[in-house]
Amino acid sequence: MHNRMMVTGAGSGLGREIALRWARDGWQLALSDVNEAGLEQTLKMVREAGGDGFSMRCDVRDYSQLVAFAQACEEKLGGIDIVVNNAGVASGGFFDELSLEDWDWQIAINLMGVVKGCKAFLPLVQKSKGKIINIASMAALMQAPGMSNYNVAKAGVVALSESLLVELRQAEVGVHVVCPSFFQTNLLDSFRGPTPNVKAQIGKLLESSPITAADIADYIHQQVGKGEFMILPHDEGRKAWKVKQQNPQAIYDEMALLAEKKRSKSKAL
């Protein structure tokens, strides 16, 4: 193991914390994001934490940029051992309010960005017999109301990861998928939705979450070490998923009530 990791969306939030967690073990980090200022900051923090590496601006919607990033990893680091497809954007709105553009934007970044990251880096990770870590969301498993485009994109990331898990076992490439619940992050900076009050509601959810992005990065580090495929960093997320596996209808009823609440709130405002 040469200890080289690539992280997309590394300019802030969970991407930055994942980079820092592995940097503390002395890893070489290849960092990308569309936010160059955040990216420079992360690289500086990585070096202070005991790691090293390089950063490169990369929009995950553009496959050629991801291929160039993979080439840079080969030239500068001699390859990659762990690929972290983390870049993502938040979104919300009831299905009848969401435009097809909202759908295209969400799928292009949150789903196809991960597909393209896997595709561009697969040759490197096969060569190193490394690992792929895809960041999905509890939304992929629970399908909360008022964010169908986000739910679908993230559920796609889970299905992609399951497909890769079984296809790449023979090649000795490990695959992991992470489903965090809401946590304190700047995901809302990229938030797009038809109604500003939805953004405020999600903001409240984020504030009430006691677990930080750094805590989640720690948990991911620990579970990847154990070889766990489906990584659910939140205790309440693990509980909810257990309930859904045994009694999906209970969750659907709960979510339908939540939908009513959300709708009456947005009408009230």
Side-chain angles (χ1 to χ4, degrees), residues 14-220:
L14 183 57
R16 169 178 285 175
E17 294 301 338
I18 289 171
L20 290 175
R21 181 60 194 83
W22 267 264
R24 290 203 291 276
D25 292 344
W27 280 50
Q28 296 277 320
L29 279 302
L31 309 166
S32 80
D33 204 296
V34 286
N35 165 9
E36 290 182 84
L39 207 48
E40 285 318 300
Q41 184 60 34
T42 302
L43 184 57
K44 198 170 148 259
M45 291 165 83
V46 155
R47 288 182 172 143
E48 284 161 8
D52 199 6
F54 73 98
S55 68
M56 186 168 165
R57 189 189 182 282
C58 181
D59 184 334
V60 296
R61 288 175 291 186
D62 184 346
Y63 184 62
S64 64
Q65 289 183 33
L66 280 158
V67 169
F69 184 36
Q71 283 168 342
C73 288
E74 197 159 26
E75 281 157 26
K76 294 176 196 277
L77 307 178
I80 279 292
D81 303 287
I82 300 186
V83 172
V84 183
N85 292 303
N86 163 75
V89 287
S91 183
F94 280 98
F95 185 76
D96 52 4
E97 305 165 329
L98 291 169
S99 68
L100 289 177
E101 286 73 25
D102 290 330
W103 276 90
D104 287 342
W105 178 77
Q106 184 56 237
I107 300 281
I109 300 171
N110 282 5
L111 176 54
M112 290 310 298
V114 176
V115 170
K116 289 170 184 175
C118 288
K119 187 102 180 128
F121 278 84
L122 186 61
L124 291 184
V125 85
Q126 278 182 310
K127 207 157 85 181
S128 65
K129 292 190 169 27
K131 302 180 199 317
I132 294 169
I133 303 174
N134 293 329
I135 309 297
S137 164
M138 276 310 293
L141 307 177
M142 305 308 290
Q143 289 86 40
M147 42 196 267
S148 55
N149 57 346
Y150 185 80
N151 294 341
V152 168
K154 291 297 193 174
V157 173
V158 171
L160 170 69
S161 305
E162 289 174 334
S163 305
L164 293 174
L165 174 72
V166 296
E167 287 189 21
L168 297 177
R169 182 182 288 177
Q170 209 182 354
E172 292 173 60
V173 171
V175 179
H176 308 269
V177 65
V178 184
C179 296
S181 309
F182 288 116
F183 57 92
Q184 287 151 335
T185 173
N186 70 337
L187 195 63
L188 278 188
D189 298 352
S190 67
F191 182 92
R192 272 172 51 161
T195 42
N197 60 292
V198 173
K199 184 168 180 167
Q201 283 171 25
I202 292 180
K204 277 201 195 91
L205 267 176
L206 295 177
E207 279 156 30
S208 69
S209 172
I211 189 168
T212 64
D215 297 331
I216 291 174
D218 257 345
Y219 187 80
I220 294 169

